[in-house]
Amino acid sequence: MIRERRSKEKLQSYYEIFMQTGGVDPNVHPWVAESWRRSRDLKVPHRTLPVLSRLPKAELNDLKLKNKAAIEYLDGLVKEVHEHFSIFNLSLLLLDSHSFVLKNYALPFFQKTPGEVEGSRLAEEDIGTSSISIALEHKSPFLLFGPEMWIEDCQSGDACSAPIIVDGEVLYVVTLVAVQQPDLPYSAIVSLVLSMKYALENYLLTLSRLEATHTILDAVPLAVYHIMPDGKIAYTNKLGEKRIAQNLKGRPDNTLRLSDMVLNYRHTPLAKGFMGVPSYNKEVTWITPHKTYEDITTVVPLLKGHDVNSIVAVSLPIEDLRTLVAHAAGYTARYSLTSLVGDTSVFTVMKTKATRIAKHNDHVLIQGEPGTGKQRLAHGIHQASSRAAGPLISVKCGDIPADYLEAELFGGSGPDESRPGKLELANGGTLFLDEVEKLPIHIGNRLAEALLARQLHRAGEHVMRPFDARILAACDSDLKRLTERGTFSNKLYHVIAEDVLRVPSLRSRREDIPLLSKHIIEEVSEQHQIKPKKFSPEAAELLMEYDWPGNIKQLQGVVEYAFFHTPGEIIKPDNIALPGKTGPGNAWKDDKDAFVDAWKAAGGNISRLANMLDVSRVTLYRYLKKYGMEKD
């Protein structure tokens, strides 16, 4: 609060009346009167400045380091007007929100040297009424005249304090003390304090926004660079810094010129960016002395007038993009019905029925032996349905403990939040329940009731929430028989078995094995951009003679293993490692070299190696760690 000049003689008389009688003259500012009463109740000495409470030196140094940005900014402001502080006998303090002095600028504060006052606390309980305590109490700038100060030794000067507020929070207090100086108008004191207040607030607000921006940029899987015309990097986020650090090894200096690190710099979109040509989502290869990167890159020129002042480059590693897509793929169909290949009658009849079933909205039970392709079929049905634009949510019932499975499906509510379950997330789309036979009966009964009512309530809630999801349930066993035995919910069975699809085993469609093998080869070669290979008639015959207890999943592992282990273009019988006969067997569990060979054969792909070795991904990650081959 900015105040007009007051008669110090009258203010002095008001102060003396209060000290003698406790009475407050009506002309005393109400904020000052409140502070006087609190100071009296706190029994703060009012004659001389008491010994101040001070932080230990180590704590003060830590506090200064924590508030380095504000101190350094105020240093710069004071430097420009320092001579005026000397001329007009001014003292400037920067305090934190707890009234500890972070720095004392210019002349000593009430005959205290800077070393004495810094780290001291100047709160109301320490020095009584001051412009500092009033500014903090009311979150407002305040000019306090000498006779209004609680301590008589401090009444020789006037003080103006202003709180530094950022995003509604008081961070600091700036205090300007003017020892009796008739030549200095009060408006000058107030103007100087307010200028510092608004300048520091704007700086800290900008700094806060920048820190938030940097946090966001560090969190995204992108390398972000701000590059100057000479190739110097003005800014980069953490991923960019990591790449730079990888290429500074062994260099004589820590230069940050991207033009020196990228060997094909002139052939990248960066060079075009400095010619004013932007590039968006271009596939770019970055060649550096230590590593080659393949990215999706966007380059945007920043103009100053009509000239390019600098450029911003944003690069997403393709490997990270694949990972993101893999995560997102859990919510969209990865396969279509056309990806299901086979010419045998037993297969074509099943595929025709699946195409017909996809067109309506009934729930579907998909039955078949493990590895027959039930998941791929479910994806295909979703994609061919009217729900294709909606989500495809998958739940593997056997992977989730029964205690958590109910919350996973129906959601849960706690004291702080309420979260949806997979049924709600699948609203407008499809919920794929894999290994549905492992669903406990009580959860199956609740699921059946929710599907019939088309509404549910989350655990811990009584609010009914509508949903619209189609169920595609996959089972390795005869679900009807399990229901009759009483090991599966009878209610749920009759809901999800509106249509039943039985997926034939691979041994019942042996004639499809060459076609399936060819299709697997084509998918792998396209994914790895390697020329396709063919099976010799003898190799194809060998595959057809095997019984394939693990069905298509097992065939895929064997075909992929043969593909990566065949040096030529023709896969022969010797290149095929049938399960239980040749190949890695179980040697990889104890022999790192055998594991590395299998790892290379799978092209470093976890899912492919899991198929080849017929183990879970979790098991493979454990062995990767065991052999010191953890993926970055």
Side-chain angles (χ1 to χ4, degrees):
M1 177 178 288
I2 308 309
R3 307 165 66 198
E4 296 179 357
R5 181 185 292 272
R6 301 292 302 275
S7 167
K8 291 195 174 183
E9 289 75 13
K10 289 183 179 180
L11 293 175
Q12 185 66 41
S13 67
Y14 302 153
Y15 174 81
E16 291 173 357
I17 290 171
F18 179 81
M19 289 300 178
Q20 293 168 9
T21 67
V24 178
D25 190 280
N27 291 307
V28 175
H29 192 286
W31 290 0
V32 174
E34 290 172 7
S35 183
W36 280 356
R37 292 190 186 99
R38 287 194 298 269
S39 301
R40 178 193 58 197
D41 294 342
L42 290 167
K43 295 181 173 54
V44 179
H46 67 279
R47 297 291 185 189
T48 59
L49 192 69
V51 177
L52 298 174
S53 173
R54 295 187 63 201
L55 292 172
K57 186 176 181 180
E59 284 188 37
L60 176 60
N61 290 337
D62 289 343
L63 194 62
K64 284 188 173 184
L65 187 62
K66 180 181 177 182
N67 298 282
K68 182 180 178 182
I71 293 172
E72 289 184 348
Y73 186 78
L74 205 55
D75 284 346
L77 290 180
V78 172
K79 184 178 179 181
E80 298 299 321
V81 293
H82 186 270
E83 60 180 283
H84 298 285
F85 281 77
S86 300
I87 294 172
F88 293 105
N89 201 18
L90 301 176
S91 179
L92 178 70
L93 300 179
L94 175 66
L95 304 93
D96 69 4
S97 58
H98 301 290
S99 301
F100 283 103
V101 179
L102 297 173
K103 190 155 184 182
N104 179 26
Y105 296 88
L107 294 181
F109 174 76
F110 290 111
Q111 288 73 51
K112 294 282 186 180
T113 65
E116 290 178 309
V117 74
E118 288 182 3
S120 300
R121 192 178 64 181
L122 303 182
E124 197 169 60
E125 56 263 42
D126 299 302
I127 62 172
T129 302
S130 70
S131 62
I132 297 168
S133 59
I134 294 176
L136 276 173
E137 174 72 21
H138 297 280
K139 295 184 179 181
S140 172
F142 194 81
L143 173 62
L144 188 72
F145 299 102
E148 295 174 314
M149 295 185 188
W150 183 254
I151 297 175
E152 292 179 3
D153 280 356
C154 299
Q155 292 178 351
S156 59
D158 305 314
C160 185
S161 295
I164 307 302
I165 302 174
V166 178
D167 289 331
E169 181 183 0
V170 176
L171 301 181
Y172 306 100
V173 176
V174 171
T175 298
L176 188 65
V177 180
V179 179
Q180 289 181 350
Q181 180 53 257
D183 295 333
L184 184 65
Y186 288 114
S187 59
I189 297 175
V190 173
S191 297
L192 183 56
V193 171
L194 291 182
S195 296
M196 289 183 172
K197 167 184 169 63
Y198 293 123
L200 185 53
E201 282 178 345
N202 287 331
Y203 171 73
L204 294 174
L205 182 62
T206 301
L207 199 63
S208 173
R209 298 294 184 265
L210 283 174
E211 287 176 353
T213 301
H214 291 167
T215 300
I216 294 170
L217 291 175
D218 286 341
V220 297
L222 305 165
V224 181
Y225 304 95
H226 180 204
I227 308 167
M228 308 311 289
D230 61 355
K232 185 177 180 181
I233 302 171
Y235 167 81
T236 184
N237 66 342
K238 279 191 176 178
L239 181 55
E241 286 179 353
K242 180 180 177 182
R243 289 186 165 189
I244 290 170
Q246 289 173 340
N247 287 282
L248 288 177
K249 294 177 181 178
R251 295 175 65 91
D253 59 339
N254 285 344
T255 176
L256 289 180
R257 295 184 187 278
L258 205 60
S259 53
D260 292 340
M261 296 181 199
V262 178
L263 303 182
N264 60 332
Y265 184 85
R266 295 185 179 277
H267 302 286
T268 66
L270 301 179
K272 290 184 178 180
F274 282 112
M275 293 187 287
V277 181
S279 301
Y280 299 98
N281 299 325
K282 299 289 185 182
E283 188 170 336
V284 179
T285 299
W286 306 94
I287 303 174
T288 70
H290 297 278
K291 192 172 181 180
T292 297
Y293 303 94
E294 292 182 346
D295 289 2
I296 301 297
T297 301
T298 292
V299 175
V300 180
L302 301 180
L303 302 178
K304 187 175 183 180
H306 297 288
D307 299 324
V308 177
N309 182 51
S310 58
I311 62 172
V312 170
V314 179
S315 251
L316 172 62
I318 290 179
E319 187 60 35
D320 289 347
L321 178 60
R322 291 191 182 115
T323 302
L324 290 173
V325 171
H327 284 296
Y331 298 94
T332 57
R334 299 196 301 272
Y335 311 108
S336 66
L337 288 176
T338 57
S339 71
L340 303 174
V341 297
D343 292 329
T344 56
S345 59
V346 66
F347 175 79
T348 54
V349 168
M350 184 275 298
K351 185 174 179 181
T352 300
K353 185 177 180 181
T355 303
R356 186 176 67 253
I357 286 175
K359 301 303 179 185
H360 59 67
N361 205 36
D362 292 342
H363 304 303
V364 183
L365 174 61
I366 304 172
Q367 294 197 148
E369 294 179 4
T372 49
K374 298 186 292 295
Q375 183 185 56
R376 184 178 286 238
L377 179 59
H379 279 240
I381 291 173
H382 171 77
Q383 192 179 81
S385 73
S386 59
R387 296 173 173 267
L392 172 61
I393 305 294
S394 298
V395 175
K396 195 165 187 177
C397 301
D399 284 354
I400 304 172
D403 294 340
Y404 297 100
L405 188 53
E406 191 167 5
E408 183 77 2
L409 290 173
F410 296 95
S413 179
D416 299 321
E417 64 174 358
S418 179
R419 65 173 186 82
K422 293 298 176 63
L423 274 169
E424 286 183 72
L425 293 176
N427 192 53
T430 303
L431 178 63
F432 174 52
L433 295 177
D434 199 8
E435 298 181 350
V436 70
E437 70 272 20
K438 297 181 181 178
L439 204 63
I441 292 178
H442 73 281
I443 297 178
N445 289 338
R446 183 180 173 187
L447 177 57
E449 293 169 0
L451 291 171
L452 291 171
R454 293 179 176 270
Q455 59 180 355
L456 57 82
H457 66 84
R458 298 174 184 173
E461 285 186 358
H462 298 288
V463 179
M464 298 305 293
R465 302 172 186 270
F467 72 97
D468 173 28
R470 184 188 194 184
I471 301 297
L472 300 180
C475 178
D476 294 339
S477 312
D478 186 333
L479 198 61
K480 184 177 181 180
R481 184 171 297 176
L482 294 177
T483 303
E484 292 171 347
R485 291 178 181 173
T487 58
F488 186 78
S489 166
N490 185 63
K491 290 182 180 179
L492 183 58
Y493 175 78
H494 286 96
V495 172
I496 63 175
E498 294 174 334
D499 277 306
V500 179
L501 271 174
R502 290 180 172 82
V503 186
S505 64
L506 189 55
R507 61 183 172 277
S508 67
R509 45 184 292 223
R510 292 179 187 274
E511 294 82 3
D512 285 337
I513 291 177
L515 190 60
L516 283 165
S517 301
K518 179 184 177 184
H519 182 71
I520 294 169
I521 291 289
E522 288 173 349
E523 285 188 338
V524 176
S525 61
E526 182 179 352
Q527 181 179 353
H528 290 272
Q529 297 183 350
I530 301 174
K531 188 176 179 180
K533 299 177 183 181
K534 295 181 180 180
F535 283 91
S536 69
E538 297 81 5
E541 187 66 25
L542 179 64
L543 294 177
M544 291 176 65
E545 290 175 354
Y546 190 69
D547 277 341
W548 300 109
N551 293 291
I552 298 175
K553 184 177 180 181
Q554 191 177 38
L555 173 67
Q556 182 173 349
V558 170
V559 169
E560 290 182 354
Y561 190 88
F563 176 83
F564 288 106
H565 274 76
T566 300
E569 296 181 4
I570 303 299
I571 300 175
K572 299 178 181 180
D574 292 341
N575 303 125
I576 297 174
L578 290 175
K581 295 184 179 181
T582 58
N586 291 325
W588 57 272
K589 294 184 178 181
D590 300 303
D591 186 344
K592 180 177 179 179
D593 291 338
F595 185 86
V596 170
D597 287 342
W599 175 251
K600 290 178 180 177
N605 184 289
I606 285 288
S607 297
R608 183 169 296 111
L609 185 59
N611 286 340
M612 288 169 51
L613 301 179
D614 195 24
V615 294
S616 69
R617 289 164 57 93
V618 174
T619 298
L620 288 184
Y621 280 120
R622 190 169 70 246
Y623 277 91
L624 282 170
K625 184 176 182 181
K626 172 183 176 181
Y627 293 132
M629 298 169 60
E630 295 162 283
K631 300 190 77 177
D632 293 332

